[in-house]
Structure formats: structure tokens, C-alpha cells
Amino acid sequence: MTPDELIAACGGRDNLRRALKVSETVIIELGDPSLRTEQVASLPFNPALSQITWKQEVPLTADEWQYFSDIIDESIRQQISALRVTEPACFRPQWHIAPVQGMLNDPNGFTFHQGEYHLFHGLYQFSGKHKDRCWVHYTSPDLVNWTSHPVALCTSDWFDSHGVYSGHAVSQQDELVIIYTGNVRIGEQRDRLSTQCLATSADGIHFTKHGPLIDELPPGVTPHFRDPKIFRHHDHWIMLLGAQEETPDGTLRARLALYRSKDLRDWQYCGLYGETLNDGHFGYMWECPDLFEADGQLFSMLCPQGITSHSQFYTIPHHCGYVKATLDAEDNLSLREFRHLDHGFDFYAPQTTQAADGRRLLIGWMGMPDETRRPSTQEGWLHQLTCIRELTYQNGQLYQQPARELQQLRGAEKIIRFSGVSSREVVSLTSKCFELQTRFRWPQQGQITLRLMDNGEYYCDLILDADNQRIMLDRSHALPQDGDTLREIPWPDKQDVSVQLLADNASLEIFINDGRYVMTSSVFTPTDACRVQFISSHPCTWQDVSCWSLRQHATDTKVILKSSA
Ligand code: FRU
């Protein structure tokens, strides 16, 4: 049988879901198995997976594999273009990047290339489930206005059929080079295959996949091996990967795997690193590593899973933070002093890039793994990206501040002044898309509460809790969703608190003391919850509040549903 005869007997091109390679056997997954004809009746069929096994005497050529992937790619794009947007979508953000349909996760490939910023993110368009992710693609001249492009990478190939997983991009003269993890699951036991794959684009919009560059696991490493970060080090390239090492006694330890290359194609394995962090015991997996320099200090970002929680209120296994790093001339990496990067509920898998003017920029996923119950799923979408932030390293501390370009979203400044002493002030805003800046004297006793996105019944509280010397974020009075409801920042030094807060319908990003601490959170309250209250357990004098409404950015998000030409 030729591939064309097989496809016809499988019910035609539109019925092909995946073409998997197991050794030299071809496994074809079908959308509707009842469309199979007699011609394939003799081939082994697994009804649970809807998969046919086609053993070949002569292995398929690269062109034949490409033929299968082109068909699957076209079919996925057709299904995407048939999707319809659910309206109204009251929770959808006005100025953050969020999907119109489906579930978003990690930002990917954030890079500056030929005068524009490129940004991708993982998306499963067809439901709010953690499933076969593709990379969708945006570009921006200014970090504010984003244009969406055809899906950059679909799950169409034998090496990424169950997920175009996370990765980075680098700009190489005319070429935009992406290295990502191809995720494949085999059999009913869903054995995981992870390879590190290459894709390139000459026009910055259409991508050609070149398949796996690294298709073997390092010794002792499990298939939890993913999320390449690429960066230049002296005269060569380095790739960092999140890895899980299994020790002879069966213990699973998180590590970073490091590879080296001269040409971004041919990669040489250098080793596993991470034994300097917490005596080598710091969770069972580190996802989405990054490595960057800020004001002369090298940092690595990691998303450790399974570490001991730093707070009684933090009950989930997924964390995200940074460590100080050193990388010597022989490419030995050393990591120390893990700290959380964000103190809110929803911040994961951040990536950094260097701005055209040299600033270090960061964007993260405003969502968490395993948390899929959110009110926005009624509108067909789930999760969003954070705002873009500038990172600086000052006086031994890492600071995050909203990228200065975001000021372009502001309407006219409104200054709110409260006279005299009071224990409650109420400000009614016209929408839930706003920026607010103010300061608080640290209370001598009791609590000061900044009540946000409030309609009397639903709200989210930022609490300066003098009695317990901590700042709390409490979303237990918002609409229910998966995840924790309390977060804390210990505040033993009792210093005053400045707040810069960016709100966007169903999210709050709270920058405390010039970005020394950040609390990033999805918060769902009804559309009429536009009030902000200032509440104090003891009457006090309130500082002036500056407020701006934030306008919609110019992204035509609906374009995302168009298939590629
Ligand atoms: C983190 C993560 C990555 C992986 C991606 C898959 O959120 O699990 O490790 O590459 O999501 O979409």
C-alpha cells in the first residue's frame, strides 16, 4: 500500500489526526474510526486510541513523513479556522494577550528580530484542557500593539504530535530560529518521548520544521526533559533544559541539562547542573529555565515542582522563581539562593528577552498547571499572559516593573484626594481595566485593606496586616476558581508600602515598592464590580491616589483564528 492508498482507506485526509513513528512502524490515529474501509481491516487497530499500526518493509522516507505532516497540518488549520468566538466575553482582557478560544499556557520564543518583537505562546484551541498545544504567534513594534499571525507550529509531525512544547527563539541575521520540545505519547500507557526540535523562518511569519536536533536523553535522565533556552556564551551557543534525573535508588531530582553548539544545529551534551541548590534536593522537576543578565548579575529562572512550600497558604506543587547563577568559561553552571519571583496566585513559565535598547524584559503565563476551573471557560477561553515587565537588579534585589511602553495605554490621569481622617473611602471606577498608584503608611496595629474589583458581594483584598507583619492577597471573596485563595509576603521591617496596580477585567498585577515584590493573579468578579475601597481598622489619613483607565490594545485577536495561506 502506498501512503495515498493508506490515507484513502483510513477515511481520507481529513480523518488523519496523527502519524507516529515507533521504530520504523507507522501508527496512524484517526478522527472517526468508522470511516476505515476493508482495505485496512487487516491492519492492527487499537480502538481505545483509534490508532492503526502499519508495518512497512521499507521505512518511510523523509518526504513521505512530510506528506503525512502536511496533511495533518492543513487539517488542524482548517479546524481552527472553523472555530467561532463566543460573545459576549465579559472576562476577556482588554490589553493583555489572551486567546479568543481555548487554553493558553507558556509564553515562548520572546525575541527581538528585524525591528519587531516576536512572541509566541502555547495554545490548545479546542477546549480548556491541557492537550496538544501549538504555538500561536504575535509581533509588535512597540510592546503595546500586537498583530497576531497564522499559527506558527502545529502538532502535525511525528516528533511533536502531542504538543509543540515550550522553547525559545533567537534572531540570526535574516532568520528567526526556534528550538522547542517535541512531545509525543505512545500507547495506552502514554509513554512520553521528548526531543528538542528546530524550526526556522526566513520571513518571520511562516516556519519550516527541521525535526529533532537532540533525540536522545542524557544518561540517567527521564523523559521529563524539555523547554530549551538558547543563549550566546563567548564564541558558542548554550542550551539549557529542564531535566529530571533518576538516581539508582529511584529518587527523582530536578536538574538543568546543558548542551553546547557552534552552529545551533549540532549540540554536544555537557552535563547536569543544580547540585549546589539546596544540597541538590530541590523538587522533582524544573520546568521552563531561563538565563539572563540584569545589571551585571547572572540569573536563572526556574519553575520547580515538588519543593517544600515557603508559606502555609501556598498549597500547590508548582513554584516559579529565580536563582543567582555563575557560568564559567568551561560552561560549568552553578546556581544558588532560590527566591520566588512573584507572590500572587498565577505566575508561571516566564521568559525574558533583551529589548532593542538593552533592557531585560520579562513576560509570564498568568495561569498555573492543573488549574482549569475558571469562570472564563464559559466564554470559551482560559488563561492569559502577564503584562510585559522590565527587570533590574538594584542593591542586591531583583525588581520587576511594568514596561514603560505600557503607559501608552493610559487615558487621562485622575487624582483622587481624601480629606481628613477616616476608616473607609470608596472610589467608583467606570471599568475593571485601570491602573492605580498610591502609598500606605504601614499601620501601627490592625489592618489596612485595599478592596479591589468590588461590588459589595464579590471582591479581592490586598491587606496590610500589621498584627501579623505581612501583606496578604485574599481572593476568597471572588468567583470560585481552582487554586489557593490566600497569599502572603512577610513584612517584618514594617516599611511603608507603595502600590502600582494594573487591572484588566479578570486580572490584577500588583507591583509593591517599585517592583521589589509583585503579586500576579487572576481574579474573577462580576462586570459591575468596579469599586475600589480603602478600609482601615483604625481611622487614618489616606495618601492621594492616581488612577488611569487603560484602553484596549490594538491586537486584532480574531485573526488568530485564520488559517495560514
Ligand atoms: C509548563 C509546561 C512546560 C511544557 C509546556 C507544555 O507550563 O509544562 O514544561 O513545555 O508547559 O505546554
Side-chain angles (χ1 to χ4, degrees):
M1 224 187 297
T2 65
D4 269 334
E5 286 164 352
L6 179 82
I7 293 164
C10 284
R13 300 163 70 98
D14 292 347
N15 204 30
L16 244 59
R17 289 291 173 274
R18 305 181 216 268
L20 306 171
K21 193 194 243 184
V22 180
S23 303
E24 288 307 335
T25 302
V26 184
I27 294 179
I28 303 283
E29 187 171 315
L30 305 180
D32 179 356
S34 71
L35 298 181
R36 279 177 302 151
T37 69
E38 279 298 304
Q39 269 176 296
V40 288
S42 60
L43 299 182
F45 177 68
N46 180 330
L49 298 170
S50 194
Q51 287 179 350
I52 284 176
T53 301
W54 186 41
K55 275 218 171 70
Q56 288 281 85
E57 293 203 344
V58 184
L60 287 193
T61 63
D63 283 350
E64 285 170 326
W65 280 110
Q66 188 61 47
Y67 187 57
F68 279 114
S69 27
D70 288 347
I71 292 171
I72 296 167
D73 189 83
E74 194 186 314
S75 153
I76 296 173
R77 289 176 193 275
Q78 268 167 13
Q79 291 171 52
I80 292 172
S81 56
L83 288 169
R84 290 291 160 259
V85 180
T86 312
E87 300 282 9
C90 307
F91 297 124
R92 185 167 300 139
Q94 292 245 37
W95 57 272
H96 285 85
I97 290 179
V100 283
Q101 282 290 306
M103 179 186 171
L104 168 151
N105 75 339
D106 314 355
N108 290 133
F110 186 25
T111 192
F112 188 72
H113 173 66
Q114 295 199 324
E116 281 194 313
Y117 291 93
H118 287 253
L119 177 61
F120 307 78
H121 65 73
L123 181 67
Y124 180 61
Q125 281 92 341
F126 304 108
S127 81
K129 288 194 179 137
H130 278 288
K131 271 197 84 173
D132 313 348
R133 293 188 187 290
C134 63
W135 276 29
V136 297
H137 183 197
Y138 293 85
T139 53
S140 170
D142 56 9
L143 298 168
V144 178
N145 298 295
W146 293 92
T147 303
S148 58
H149 297 288
V151 173
L153 303 171
C154 288
T155 52
S156 45
D157 284 80
W158 61 266
F159 46 82
D160 59 17
S161 61
H162 291 73
V164 177
Y165 271 17
S166 291
H168 276 80
V170 288
S171 172
Q172 282 287 281
Q173 291 89 39
D174 291 348
E175 206 173 46
L176 186 55
V177 177
I178 287 175
I179 300 190
Y180 68 95
T181 299
N183 179 55
V184 176
R185 299 297 201 124
I186 301 292
E188 282 175 60
Q189 66 289 2
R190 294 176 57 74
D191 287 340
R192 189 189 283 267
L193 300 181
S194 300
T195 55
Q196 314 314 321
C197 304
L198 173 73
T200 56
S201 173
D203 64 1
I205 305 295
H206 300 93
F207 290 83
T208 306
K209 292 185 192 170
H210 304 278
L213 299 172
I214 300 175
D215 59 3
E216 278 188 5
L217 301 173
V221 166
T222 78
H224 283 282
F225 185 56
R226 54 179 173 267
D227 308 337
K229 161 77 186 183
I230 315 296
F231 59 93
R232 192 82 188 152
H233 187 50
H234 301 306
D235 63 344
H236 58 280
W237 296 96
I238 296 271
M239 183 193 296
L240 274 189
L241 285 156
Q244 181 179 68
E245 188 185 24
E246 185 168 8
T247 60
D249 69 358
T251 311
L252 299 175
R253 302 196 301 204
R255 288 290 181 266
L256 291 182
L258 198 146
Y259 286 75
R260 177 194 295 148
S261 171
K262 285 274 183 204
D263 60 2
L264 287 170
R265 276 21 179 211
D266 190 19
W267 292 91
Q268 177 199 343
Y269 176 58
C270 302
L272 294 178
Y273 295 90
E275 65 287 345
T276 49
L277 201 57
N278 205 30
D279 293 330
H281 300 281
F282 201 61
Y284 53 79
M285 177 65 188
W286 296 339
E287 294 190 309
C288 302
D290 199 319
L291 194 97
F292 63 90
E293 199 183 296
D295 301 302
Q297 172 65 49
L298 194 64
F299 291 98
S300 178
M301 292 193 307
L302 314 165
C303 294
Q305 300 182 318
I307 58 173
T308 306
S309 183
H310 56 305
S311 157
Q312 60 174 311
F313 306 114
Y314 202 110
T315 69
I316 57 170
H318 307 290
H319 295 252
C320 174
Y322 65 96
V323 291
K324 285 187 180 157
T326 48
L327 186 65
D328 68 17
E330 276 77 50
D331 299 332
N332 291 307
L333 180 69
S334 156
L335 312 172
R336 61 186 200 283
E337 296 172 34
F338 178 86
R339 292 192 190 173
H340 283 81
L341 194 53
D342 195 279
H343 301 267
F345 299 98
D346 298 276
F347 186 86
Y348 201 73
Q351 285 206 341
T352 72
T353 196
Q354 192 167 29
D357 60 7
R359 282 172 298 158
R360 183 52 50 179
L361 302 174
L362 171 144
I363 188 161
W365 174 26
M366 204 190 301
M368 292 304 282
D370 307 336
E371 296 184 13
T372 54
R373 193 181 55 118
R374 302 262 149 113
S376 67
T377 52
Q378 295 153 16
E379 299 175 353
W381 66 276
L382 189 58
H383 302 313
Q384 57 181 291
L385 297 182
T386 67
C387 74
I388 292 175
R389 302 166 184 188
E390 296 176 16
L391 288 181
T392 51
Y393 181 58
Q394 307 162 36
N395 310 318
Q397 308 286 354
L398 196 62
Y399 284 75
Q400 293 182 63
Q401 283 174 307
R404 60 198 70 169
E405 286 84 348
L406 296 179
Q407 292 175 17
Q408 293 170 41
L409 296 168
R410 290 175 178 171
E413 181 176 3
K414 190 172 152 196
I415 299 183
I416 302 160
R417 296 203 164 88
F418 306 110
S419 55
V421 169
S422 71
S423 54
R424 185 182 292 263
E425 297 289 347
V426 181
V427 175
S428 294
L429 301 174
T430 50
S431 87
K432 293 203 285 174
C433 297
F434 63 91
E435 177 175 346
L436 179 154
Q437 292 187 21
T438 192
R439 294 186 66 82
F440 298 94
R441 280 260 144 73
W442 186 256
Q444 300 287 323
Q445 54 180 319
Q447 296 184 337
I448 286 180
T449 300
L450 179 59
R451 181 156 294 172
L452 297 155
M453 294 188 168
D454 165 46
N455 70 354
E457 188 179 358
Y458 295 100
Y459 51 85
C460 177
D461 282 346
L462 180 73
I463 303 164
L464 315 189
D465 180 357
D467 296 341
N468 295 294
Q469 297 184 14
R470 63 191 182 196
I471 297 178
M472 301 287 295
L473 190 62
D474 177 354
R475 66 173 178 185
S476 58
H477 298 278
L479 292 166
Q481 62 176 79
D482 281 347
D484 290 331
T485 53
L486 288 171
R487 284 284 179 266
E488 66 176 338
I489 305 173
W491 210 254
D493 297 337
K494 306 180 187 179
Q495 69 267 48
D496 291 350
V497 176
S498 74
V499 167
Q500 178 179 10
L501 187 154
L502 303 184
D504 193 4
N505 274 338
S507 70
L508 293 171
E509 288 165 276
I510 306 173
F511 297 83
I512 293 170
N513 287 10
D514 303 316
R516 170 70 191 88
Y517 299 92
V518 188
M519 298 179 119
T520 304
S521 297
S522 62
V523 173
F524 293 89
T525 59
T527 348
D528 66 346
C530 296
R531 245 173 19 191
V532 176
Q533 295 202 53
F534 297 77
I535 305 165
S536 177
S537 53
H538 298 80
C540 67
T541 311
W542 304 98
Q543 309 281 316
D544 291 354
V545 179
S546 291
C547 235
W548 298 262
S549 61
L550 296 178
R551 69 166 171 85
Q552 189 154 16
H553 66 54
T555 307
D556 176 8
T557 42
K558 293 193 176 79
V559 177
I560 202 174
L561 295 181
K562 276 194 194 159
S563 68
S564 107

